[in-house]
Amino acid sequence: MTTNQTTGIGSALYVYSSISAANAIDLRNNIFANNQTTNTRYAINSDAAKTVFSNIDYNDYYSTGSLGYLGSARAPLANWQTATGKDLNSLNITPPFISSADLHLTGCSLLESAATPIAGITTDIDADLRSSTNPDIGADESKMYFTGANLTTPTLWNVNNNWSSFNIPTSDKCVNIPSGKTAVVNITTAVAKKVTVDAGGYLTISPNQALTVTDVFTNSNVPNLVAASSPKQYYVTIENDGNLLQTNKVTNVGAIAARREINIRDHNQYNYAVSPLLNTNLNTNIYEDQTSHNLSNAPFTLYHNEATNKFYTSSGAYIAGRGLAVKEPATGTGKINMLFTGVPVNGSVPYTLVNSTPLDAVHGYNLIGNPYPSNLDLISFYNENNTTGKLDPTFYFWDSTANSQTSQAGSGYGGEAYAKFNVSTPPGVGTPTIATGDAGFAGTKSATRYVKVGQAFMARTTAGSLAVSFENTQRAGNSATGFFGKGAQEAAPFDR
């Protein structure tokens, strides 16, 4: 209600005193909103006794005056609940209608999934399917949930009739993956405002595909590992080269799994790695067999010391933004996964680069990495962090195919096995340089401005200390080059 009355009492719902039969009214899942600004006004006005309500709950009551009337004026919501003896799950929030003439809900709100299923009510005012487990309050089922109704491709994100609204989600829609449903992101343009995977629901972001979420991503499966699955499976997974991007700086809820595929060369290589998920240890159970999905530890995990330009044993502990060198498994051939598990990293990730000897040219190298479960744009990272001119525009990626050395040279290493990417020349484009390689070993990989999920790299500062920050504005779904490995002696640290 928005039009002011000149006299009397205004209410979105009025219950006549002539209704007296016990349990005559079942009042659930409604929005009662009174936006009038003059005279006495209520969201609900009942001149009947509370006994006429067989059910009264899961409603939203909003009024610019008192919330309701039952025997007397009632405000706030707690007083109304006392009067009815019910309404324990009802709300008192401003309903986000598109306009006074269009009562569809905009975006996401607390009204979503806040109602209760009612037998026989399966569609909303637009004939969109209502959730059978957690519908929205009001006549509009604004949340989109995955139904998997298409008989031919029941798991694919980009199939219209796999969704309750019979259209794939847009960026203003809250998305729900219900229990028992499996959704697979199979396009690079999948979007949603929020995503919630219910307990028992499955979501996979396929290789080379991307899902962009404006706000929070929630996985309600605790734990994310499917119990008794063989081979091991996970409810929510980002496959190798998949991307989960986010716009706003919000805190995600619930752990997921993310994979990074590695080609085993000779069991002596090291990968420059960084976890895209919170608190993944890069030593313990970091490797996953692609067939059995059994997990194993890395033989060695090493950190880089900027002052000595050498690598030393690390526990693999998670530090946001820090890269580590992780040795290939000691056995096996072909391909293996790095498996990251944890809550998806989102928002600002600060990190401090250091240079112990700013006046020389061989110090100031820091092993950092892309901290997100999406690719990183190095040009954006550089432009947003080089306000003092102390961040070197060249970034270094280890290419093990160009290396033959197996002992550390520290600051004396010439960098032959590093591919490079200069972000400043030409502006906005950058220039790659393939690793020159040791004698008889030519570099094969050309870096781009985009850094893969899980990829670490060397960044240099000419300042004694330089605070940098990874931000959502630097994230991208564009394709990127993977760099794998480094030759080393069995138990010794190795060159920069």
Side-chain angles (χ1 to χ4, degrees):
M1 296 181 65
T2 57
T3 303
N4 288 328
Q5 295 181 205
T6 56
T7 60
I9 298 172
S11 60
L13 175 68
Y14 176 65
V15 182
Y16 283 89
S17 59
S18 57
I19 300 175
S20 58
N23 302 322
I25 300 174
D26 185 350
L27 195 65
R28 290 179 290 170
N29 298 355
N30 301 283
I31 299 173
F32 301 113
N34 188 340
N35 291 293
Q36 295 175 334
T37 57
T38 61
N39 298 321
T40 303
R41 50 201 181 275
Y42 305 109
I44 179 172
N45 179 2
S46 178
D47 282 335
K50 67 178 183 180
T51 54
V52 304
F53 298 106
S54 60
N55 287 299
I56 180 169
D57 204 357
Y58 297 96
N59 300 303
D60 179 35
Y61 304 108
Y62 174 76
S63 173
T64 56
S66 294
L67 184 143
Y69 182 92
L70 183 60
S72 62
R74 306 286 180 171
L77 177 62
N79 287 347
W80 175 257
Q81 291 168 326
T82 299
T84 63
K86 299 177 180 179
D87 268 315
L88 295 180
N89 298 289
S90 292
L91 301 174
N92 172 216
I93 63 172
T94 306
F97 294 131
I98 291 177
S99 69
S100 60
D102 186 346
L103 301 185
H104 291 89
L105 300 178
T106 62
C108 306
S109 75
L110 294 176
L111 300 178
E112 293 195 355
S113 302
T116 187
I118 297 176
I121 301 177
T122 58
T123 60
D124 72 353
I125 54 174
D126 302 309
D128 292 342
L129 293 174
R130 292 182 71 92
S131 171
S132 61
T133 55
N134 53 347
D136 299 343
I137 291 178
D140 176 30
E141 188 78 1
S142 59
K143 170 184 77 268
M144 295 182 64
Y145 65 94
F146 194 82
T147 63
N150 187 281
L151 297 179
T152 304
T153 53
T155 65
L156 298 187
W157 183 284
N158 69 333
V159 176
N160 287 339
N161 66 339
N162 278 337
W163 294 95
S164 57
S165 64
F166 304 101
N167 289 291
I168 64 174
T170 51
S171 60
D172 62 336
K173 295 297 184 181
C174 288
V175 165
N176 176 258
I177 312 299
S179 177
K181 302 299 180 181
T182 298
V184 176
V185 175
N186 64 320
I187 53 176
T188 61
T189 55
V191 294
K193 182 173 176 60
K194 295 181 182 179
V195 172
T196 299
V197 182
D198 288 346
Y202 293 78
L203 175 65
T204 298
I205 301 177
S206 297
N208 303 306
Q209 310 302 338
L211 169 62
T212 301
V213 182
T214 302
D215 288 322
V216 67
F217 184 99
T218 300
N219 179 20
S220 301
N221 290 287
V222 181
N224 187 45
L225 176 66
V226 180
S229 56
S230 181
K232 292 180 179 179
Q233 296 182 4
Y234 301 88
Y235 288 104
V236 180
T237 307
I238 303 174
E239 295 292 359
N240 182 60
D241 290 338
N243 281 268
L244 171 61
L245 299 104
Q246 289 179 270
T247 306
N248 294 334
K249 297 179 181 181
V250 295
T251 301
N252 293 320
V253 179
I256 69 170
R259 293 186 168 107
R260 169 69 186 273
E261 187 176 80
I262 296 170
N263 290 297
I264 299 174
R265 179 181 168 188
D266 57 12
H267 310 295
N268 290 317
Q269 307 306 313
Y270 284 78
N271 303 303
Y272 283 5
V274 62
S275 176
L277 309 178
L278 292 174
N279 298 320
T280 296
N281 186 287
L282 294 186
N283 181 269
T284 305
N285 286 336
I286 189 60
Y287 287 125
E288 178 195 50
D289 183 272
Q290 290 192 337
T291 301
S292 68
H293 291 182
N294 290 336
L295 303 178
S296 60
N297 297 345
F300 296 99
T301 300
L302 308 173
Y303 73 91
H304 174 255
N305 184 296
E306 179 277 331
T308 64
N309 273 321
K310 292 186 177 182
F311 290 77
Y312 302 93
T313 300
S314 168
S315 67
Y318 175 81
I319 297 177
R322 180 184 74 162
L324 294 172
V326 184
K327 192 176 184 182
E328 290 178 343
T331 60
T333 58
K335 297 179 179 180
I336 196 168
N337 295 326
M338 270 192 174
L339 181 73
F340 309 102
T341 57
V343 177
V345 175
N346 183 46
S348 300
V349 180
Y351 197 88
T352 300
L353 304 180
V354 297
N355 189 331
S356 57
T357 314
L359 297 181
D360 70 27
V362 296
H363 288 89
Y365 291 92
N366 295 257
L367 183 55
I368 62 174
N370 172 13
Y372 299 115
S374 62
N375 292 345
L376 177 78
D377 183 352
L378 271 183
I379 292 180
S380 294
F381 173 79
Y382 176 80
N383 289 340
E384 293 179 19
N385 285 290
N386 192 42
T387 56
T388 63
K390 299 296 184 180
L391 180 61
D392 193 305
T394 300
F395 297 87
Y396 300 80
F397 296 84
W398 184 259
D399 181 359
S400 65
T401 63
N403 176 70
S404 64
Q405 301 184 41
T406 57
S407 61
Q408 296 204 70
S411 297
Y413 179 62
E416 290 83 3
Y418 278 104
K420 305 172 186 177
F421 189 80
N422 184 291
V423 300
S424 62
T425 306
V429 178
T431 300
T433 303
I434 294 175
T436 57
D438 297 331
F441 290 81
T444 60
K445 300 179 184 295
S446 181
T448 74
R449 65 187 290 178
Y450 301 107
V451 181
K452 282 192 176 189
V453 174
Q455 180 72 60
F457 52 88
M458 288 287 186
R460 183 172 185 264
T461 180
T462 56
S465 177
L466 178 65
V468 298
S469 185
F470 297 93
E471 299 290 343
N472 282 356
T473 51
Q474 302 157 13
R475 300 170 71 170
N478 306 68
S479 61
T481 301
F483 289 84
F484 311 110
K486 164 75 172 109
Q489 292 179 329
E490 179 62 24
F494 58 92
D495 319 351
R496 173 178 57 75

